[in-house]
Amino acid sequence: MNAFELLIIIYHSINSFMATDGGELLKKFVELFLFTVVTYMIASEYGRSKERHLKYLMIGFAALAIDKLIMSLVFSSIVFGDVRLFILNPFLPILDLFLEIFALILLTNSFIYPIFADKVDALKRKITRETFIVIIIVLIIEAFWLVRVTHEPTAAFRSELSYLFLELLKIMVLYSPIFYILSNLKKMGKYGPHIMIAFIVAMITPATNVINVVFFGGASNNLRVFAHPFLFISVLLFTRVTYLKLVDKATIKRELAETKEKYVREHELGKMKDEFVSTVSHELRTPITSMKLYLALLRQKKFGALKKKQQDAVSIVEKETNRLSKLIADILNLSRLEAKKTKLKLENVNIYKLVKNNLYYNLAEQKGVEIENNISKKFIATVDPEKFKQVFINLFSNAVNYARRKISISVKEGVNHWDFIVEDDGPGIEKEKLEKLFDKFYRVGDYLTKDKKGTGLGLAIVKNIVELHNGEVWAESKKGTRFIVRLPK
Ligand code: ADP
């Protein structure tokens, strides 16, 4: 006997064993084991995340597991025990097919969940409708079958017309998700094709059974044994997809946790940095005050008359001291605002006057920049005058810095808000940088090559003050730059 003959003999003995009740029991038992493991896997994940699609998947696999459990129990009674159950034999395929088709409807629908993710109700309706129709058809076919079996219990079930119809119905149930996946490949994500292949493989079993019935009257044992593993293989494929999806999720979760940790750490570092900067600034206030005092004394010739060169040096030191002093005031101001230590003192304020008194008006005039104040002279808004003045000073000083010829200030009324608009005809700001403007120390362009002097704190202060008023501020830029402060009425 050569190896090939041996293989044929083994194949035939497996074939004939699989056709016995013992073989059926083995198959059902292996399937039961597999479905239980998969159901357990999904159930434990569902317990953790309570995600809807996992629920559907869990119910689908659980239905298949229950089908196989019932069939395993029945077959083990037949094989190992109660001989009387033998009379059940002709009815078993009827029960098995009923449970299997029902479970398949749930399972197929659970895999196309991504298509319905945003309209779960539609999925529920689809499952209910499909289940209802299919169950009615199954019941009618099975009723006929039951009558036939009761009259002729010895007839081979595979030659029954009802069996053929139920297998055809199975093909239809399995085809439905393939159709859905094909027309929604994008929504299904990267595993869509894998799921489709699994469904196609699952269809081979009922298709082979149909061929068996149509061409061999259901008598071909070879086709019968050939058919069986495909449902099993397809379940392995489904298990693989489910497993890969769970792994993907676990990876994403881990990455998310890492990112969160990093964020918290950086946030803490940022806070420490802010505290450090504000402490240092606080400490710098005293020496700067003495520097200013001595500079004033020098100017007043309290230490004797200064020569021209000495006077020039003193004015440079004075200018830089003022800049330093402004920087420190800005830092401390911002750190107080950020720590939410500042309280608003709201008053009804004439905005026209508040803007008009601005010292940058003079500066604009010196630069030859025209100011167009479109605010009505009697316009009153409820704001904290000191803080709101700061908002205008900061927006205004920027506008003066960058404007070519004209700055315009206006107020627009919305349904529930006022928009305060400061607009200039300067070089404008690139779109992608607009959002960052309000970050601390952010300055457009390279700091070192910047000709305009500044700290990058002005707009951060503006944002904080506006938010303290429950408002919002943003910038737009087409030709020049336009800052809009929106306050609730
Ligand atoms: P500073 O003006 O002290 O640098 P700001 O926070 O007030 O800080 O502004 C941040 C940056 O936004 C500025 O450095 C500048 O690059 C840009 N910017 C602000 N206002 C304008 C404007 N009206 N036109 C063009 N760029 C502006």
Side-chain angles (χ1 to χ4, degrees), residues 99-113:
L99 292 174
E100 197 172 275
I101 290 177
F102 182 65
L104 275 180
I105 295 173
L106 293 176
L107 191 74
T108 50
N109 281 298
S110 64
F111 270 99
I112 56 171
Y113 178 83

Side-chain angles (χ1 to χ4, degrees), residues 402-418:
Y402 293 95
R404 289 197 180 100
R405 255 179 245 134
K406 196 169 141 192
I407 297 171
S408 77
I409 313 166
S410 51
V411 177
K412 267 194 195 152
E413 184 171 5
V415 186
N416 299 314
H417 60 255
W418 296 109

Side-chain angles (χ1 to χ4, degrees), residues 326 330 394-403 422-429 433 436-445 447 450 452-462 475 477 480-483:
K326 183 179 180 312
D330 277 356
N394 289 3
L395 292 180
F396 219 61
S397 63
N398 280 339
V400 172
N401 251 335
Y402 293 95
V422 177
E423 194 170 2
D424 65 59
D425 59 355
I429 300 164
K433 293 183 178 155
K436 286 199 202 135
L437 287 186
F438 299 91
D439 290 351
K440 267 181 292 186
F441 298 110
Y442 181 80
R443 312 198 59 224
V444 179
Y447 182 79
K450 216 70 208 152
K452 312 261 183 226
K453 286 190 176 146
T455 58
L457 290 174
L459 290 176
I461 291 176
V462 166
S477 177
T481 314
R482 168 200 277 241
F483 284 89

Side-chain angles (χ1 to χ4, degrees), residues 41-59:
M41 206 166 89
I42 300 167
S44 48
E45 186 57 29
Y46 175 68
R48 227 175 299 154
S49 65
K50 291 273 176 288
E51 278 175 51
R52 253 222 194 86
H53 77 277
L54 289 178
K55 186 166 93 183
Y56 289 104
L57 217 57
M58 185 177 70
I59 297 174

